Amino acid sequence: MGFPTKINYTWGKGFPGGIASANPRRSAIPGPMGFVAGAAGVTVAAFGWVQADGVTVLNKPIASEAPTGFVLRDQTGLITTYLGESTMTLPSGFNVQLMTGGDYFAAASTVATPGQAVYASLTDGTLQTGVAGTVPSGTVATGWIVTQGGAVGSTIIISGAVAPIAGSNE
């Protein structure tokens, strides 16, 4: 652990990628091999896509499709970089849990206000927020919304539906 660089006077409301409430949750159901992080690893608290093999997860899609789910922070991180102090990356080959519904803490890369839609970057799965139906360039709609907003860089809460979407095969 490095030398402290700041003092917090109150506890943070949560950590990006963590569960934000006791409300019901929903996860993507993997096949018998489970979901595993791809060659470059998978970033926690970003959106992930299951690749064509049905097992590998990356923070970018095969095509411009909606992400499979939000990458949950449910494992103890391994710091694999020499003298590293922290990481939000699941190393290649590690299990990945993708959440498709529920309430989760996330990091705001744009100003977030309750009710805004959540969009996922097509290059790294990070999220942006905005008015529903106005998909920012380089992103795709996720079907998630902001339920507790915040400034850029702050921790927010995003929510996804926990019931199957009408007309889906789930």
Side-chain angles (χ1 to χ4, degrees):
M1 180 173 185
F3 189 80
T5 58
K6 67 180 181 176
I7 296 172
N8 293 317
Y9 292 102
T10 60
W11 286 99
K13 64 179 167 184
F15 297 99
I19 297 168
S21 75
N23 290 335
R25 295 182 285 278
R26 183 177 170 95
S27 62
I29 306 297
M33 299 298 293
F35 294 135
V36 297
V42 172
T43 302
V44 173
F47 285 93
W49 287 261
V50 175
Q51 303 300 295
D53 63 5
V55 175
T56 305
V57 175
L58 297 175
N59 292 117
K60 58 184 176 181
I62 302 167
S64 295
E65 59 191 27
T68 307
F70 184 72
V71 182
L72 183 66
R73 182 183 68 88
D74 67 343
Q75 297 183 7
T76 302
L78 292 180
I79 301 172
T80 58
T81 304
Y82 179 67
L83 296 179
E85 294 183 17
S86 63
T87 183
M88 288 292 280
T89 303
L90 295 173
S92 177
F94 274 58
N95 287 359
V96 176
Q97 186 159 351
L98 296 172
M99 305 311 292
T100 59
D103 307 316
Y104 302 94
F105 293 108
S109 63
T110 54
V111 175
T113 58
Q116 285 184 318
V118 176
Y119 301 97
S121 166
L122 293 170
T123 56
D124 62 7
T126 56
L127 57 99
Q128 293 182 32
T129 62
V131 177
T134 57
V135 182
S137 178
T139 69
V140 65
T142 63
W144 292 62
I145 62 166
V146 175
T147 48
Q148 189 175 88
V152 173
S154 67
T155 301
I156 62 173
I157 297 177
I158 62 172
S159 298
V162 294
I165 298 170
S168 72
N169 293 327
E170 295 182 27

